[in-house]
Amino acid sequence: MPRLSVLRRVAFALTLALPLLSSPSARAIDLFGEEFPTVDDVLAHNRGHGVRFLDRQGRFIGSIGETYGDTLTLEKLPKHLIQALIAKEDRRYLEHDGIDFQGLARALAVAVTSGSFSQGGSTLTQQTMKLIFLNRYDRWSRKAYELYSAGDFEEKLGKKNVLYLYLNRAYFGFGAYGVDAAARVFFGKPAGKLSLKEAAMLVGSLPAPSRLNPFADLEKAEAKAALVLDAMADAGFITERTAEQTKRQRPMLAAGNKAAVLSTGHFRETAKARFDRFAADRYGGNRPGPTFTARTTLDRDLQAAALRSVETTLKRHAKRMGAAEVALVALDGDGAILAMIGGRDAAARRDHFNRALQARRQPGSAFKLFVFLAALERGLTPDSRVDGSRMEFTDGRAIRNFDNRYPSSVTLADAFAHSTNTASARLTRGHAEEIAAAARRLGVESPLEPDLGLALGVSEVSLLEITQAYAAVANGGNKVGGHLFLRIGDPAGRTIHSHTPQKPERVIDPRTAGTLKSMLAGVMRDGTGKTARLPAALARLGAGGKTGTTNDYRDAWFIGFADGVAGRGLTVGVWVGNDGNAPMKGVTGGSVPAEIWRRFMVEAARLKG
């Protein structure tokens, strides 16, 4: 039965091909039209759009869609790259006329005897046609069209141009289309400087680039490169000795590119969505050329530090955390997003939900920033006294303090440092509207219920918007709006978007912002945020933050700033919790989130000090 199935498929392909071959006026597909296009027209045909993302220093952090490097002629490519391609993919390339009938007959013979197609019979000419014209056709229809058109295609273009097209259009994995993009992604160099081993690895990945590229599986990539080198020796392009020596070489991979791609998936997905809006405003549905380049606000070093901080801390607290998720966002004083983690699956290959932006969760005591800001703005001071005693209602409900202490009188500063809910509730009573207005003024756009629940942080917010509010306090009172791009360029190098710093919008009086910063420092020094306390050298620059924990440990937050870190200082927000809102095992804002925050700030200071 398997052999009969193979024969039926071959017969189907021939059934499609023979009528085409017998009719000179018929066309399998409109490859050529009345006038055959230029080779560059063919190169551009059906080429998709993509965005190459760079960090703020211009370093690669990944791509989305089809992204290409420089278009290179064969003269600008290493001879051994072209030889490797011919030796592995089409040994008789220089002899056949587009269809290798010997190779096709051999592949059919093996298929008929084995019952499956284990050998490919496609020439590089056929593969090039598939890449550019036929990739949407099913296998057997495509084979029929190739049989009809390959000779004509190669005759009109010439063998040299077929190789030119193939090497500049083939997919090599990790979003790299064309050999120059692949060389830059995997080895951090232009294609013209590829070594023999590197060339063999790229050619070896072609049958399954997503699985065989050196970032996906180095061991398999090495094995495939060895097969390519053996093929080159068998074809007489290199000696067996050279092949064996080259197999033992260890390629210098651009490991930073791999790490950046794997850690920035959520950031790229968010950036792509915003890029699409800019491109739609500029071009509608007719974008020019294949590859746009976006220089983002992200710092590749800080992103790596954020991921290490998260992974190290989650590993330490694995039993407590279970499958709970995590999000982190780091902003400078202008709102540039320097690092972002939207969930445990940082690559966002399976999980496109960005918890740093899209999740709305109860902030708990982290929302007290606005309660105490409103109190300061109506004339209270850190030394003002407020009642922290028990608050019980006629229906039996009561407001609880986490430490189970209920002082009859407590200073504003101590109530803030120890997240005294009863004191916060009394500061909110009669002032809920002004507290909600303060939050909106600082950039919180999520709906807020102006009632006593504000004191306990029951109105849901996103991590980004509340971190922006803390950044406004940290920078002395100017509103902060998170942004992702420094510049976006189209394929011709024209700027379609650039970030222009806006005139600062003051949303807090500088003296009030300074007072609130001191109170946030007290949280880390004497209150619930002690775990986040920084080494003395950093603490002297100025640092502060606030914890947040909701009922039954469903959400845990730490949001804080450190002056002088990474230049003008950083404000970083961290959240952990379960997507389904299930309780965690005793995780508070002062535990896992504060530890992640501290690790990240210490490493950021070391990297950017």
Side-chain angles (χ1 to χ4, degrees), residues 395-419:
D395 60 4
R397 291 180 300 122
I399 293 178
R400 308 290 183 189
N401 291 335
F402 187 78
D403 60 7
N404 207 30
R405 295 171 59 193
Y406 298 90
S408 60
S409 178
V410 61
T411 66
L412 215 64
D414 283 344
F416 190 60
H418 296 283
S419 287

Side-chain angles (χ1 to χ4, degrees), residues 51-53 60-65 67 174-176 261 268:
V51 189
R52 179 188 297 113
F53 294 105
F60 181 74
I61 59 171
S63 59
I64 289 180
T67 59
F174 259 66
V261 170
R268 289 198 311 275

Side-chain angles (χ1 to χ4, degrees), residues 23-90:
S23 175
S25 61
R27 284 325 220 187
I29 51 175
D30 187 16
L31 287 180
F32 316 136
E34 293 298 320
E35 181 178 346
F36 194 82
T38 67
V39 66
D40 287 326
D41 288 335
V42 177
L43 181 69
H45 185 73
N46 278 343
R47 190 157 55 173
H49 298 290
V51 189
R52 179 188 297 113
F53 294 105
L54 309 177
D55 83 340
R56 62 192 302 108
Q57 280 88 37
R59 297 172 295 183
F60 181 74
I61 59 171
S63 59
I64 289 180
E66 293 185 25
T67 59
Y68 296 83
D70 293 339
T71 300
L72 300 175
T73 62
L74 298 191
E75 290 76 15
K76 293 183 178 180
L77 292 171
K79 186 177 180 180
H80 52 250
L81 171 66
I82 299 165
Q83 292 171 335
L85 181 65
I86 292 173
K88 186 65 175 67
E89 293 294 315
D90 191 353

Side-chain angles (χ1 to χ4, degrees), residues 372 376 382 412-413 416-417 514-524 545:
F372 284 77
L376 293 173
L412 215 64
F416 190 60
T515 300
L516 202 48
K517 285 183 71 172
S518 295
M519 292 172 68
L520 287 165
V523 175
M524 286 172 55

